[in-house]
Structure formats: C-alpha cells, structure tokens
Amino acid sequence: MSQGNVLFLLTGSIACYKACTVISRLVQAGVTVQTVATPAALRFVGTATLEGLSGRPVFTDLWAEGQALDHIELARRADLALVCPATANTLNQLAAGLAHDPVGTLFLAWELDKKPWWVSPAMNHRMWEHPATAASLARLREWGVQVIDPVEGPHACGESGSGRLPEPEAIAAKVLAALAAK
Ligand SMILES: Cc1cc2nc3c(=O)[nH]c(=O)nc-3n(C[C@H](O)[C@H](O)[C@H](O)COP(=O)(O)O)c2cc1C
C-alpha cells in the first residue's frame, strides 16, 4: 500500500542530482512520487532518470498531448507537494502567482489551507540573501508555504555561505514524518 502521494517538483539548480536521492528514498519507503520538472531542471537531470526513479512519466509540458488537465489533476491527487530544489527564479514566480508552466499552474491549483506545499531552496548565497528572494519567501510563508531552510557550506561556484540544499536523507525524513502524521 502506498505511504502517500508526493508531487515532487524539480527546478533548475545543480542540486537536482541531490533531489534524485530524495526521490529514491521516498520511493523505497513506499511513497508514490509524481515528478514535475522545469526545462531548466532537465538541463541537470534527464526524464529517463526521473521516470526510472519514480516509475511514472515526468510532467514537463503544459501542452503535451494526453496531459491537458494534469495541472489540476496532479494537484488534486497529491498529499504533499515539494519543490526540490527550488530556484530563486521559481520562488519569485510562485510569489507573483505566475502560471505559465506546470510548476506555477500546480501551485495555483493547490489548496494551501488543506495540504502542505513545501519548498527546499538551493542557490548561491548572494542569490539567497537578495531582497527579491527574501521578499518572495516572506510572501510564500504568509500564504502557508513551508520552507526547508538551506544550510551553510561550499557552493558549486567555489563560494561558500548559506543556500545549500540540505542532505537528501534529511529532506526525505521530513517528508516521511509529515506523511505519517497526516
Ligand atoms: C550551472 C548552473 C547552475 C545553476 N544553479 C542554480 C541554483 O542552484 N539555484 C538557482 O536559483 N539558480 C540556479 N541557476 C540558474 C537557474 O537555472 C535559472 O535561473 C533558470 O532560469 C531557473 O529556471 P526554473 O526556475 O524555471 O527552473 C543555475 C544555472 C546554471 C547554468
């Protein structure tokens, strides 16, 4: 029996490789995972990897044949949504209520007062500290979005600071605990 349904949304950060481990841990624990990926996320990991890990096709294109209502249906079916990794661009997009892609439409179709929507940001520390990012996060928090705070450490760009995605096991454990508590 499934331990719950997670809508797992990947956006274009180098931390997509760590998100693959989160998906793997959730699936191993019996969770049904539906992945969604932006075009930028697919520059970092391929649909074959996401489909192989989750056992389901990846939702990437609002206009794909046979998937016309997925932007509503997937939001209806899931118990919890997790944007992991969440880019600065996507956080700003969500905070502005823009719905030009699957991630934005699913967010607007989500009943924030009924089901948890989480974001796990990952970015360079200057992007993380930028007032635009901080303002978007504050707005998302006001709406009930839960933020998995990034951790301090070295970035792929050679700089160091806050903005790193936490370790995959820690993220998976949080999701599993939330599903068990529902
Ligand atoms: C190599 C590389 C790594 C990147 N890593 C990040 C990152 O960790 N976090 C972030 O916010 N943006 C990062 N970006 C920039 C985003 O990919 C870019 O803003 C993109 O438009 C995000 O689109 P999306 O939010 O629709 O996925 C990176 C770009 C490149 C080329």
Side-chain angles (χ1 to χ4, degrees), residues 48-64:
T49 301
L50 299 177
E51 188 167 334
L53 289 170
S54 68
R56 289 161 178 266
V58 190
F59 182 36
T60 59
D61 177 5
L62 267 184
W63 306 102

Side-chain angles (χ1 to χ4, degrees), residues 10-15 38-41 44 85-91 93 100-101 122-124 127 163:
L10 298 98
T11 66
S13 156
I14 194 145
T38 63
F44 294 96
T87 58
N89 177 64
T90 288
L91 294 172
Q93 179 194 329
H100 58 264
D101 66 2
M123 65 199 69
N124 165 279
M127 293 175 84

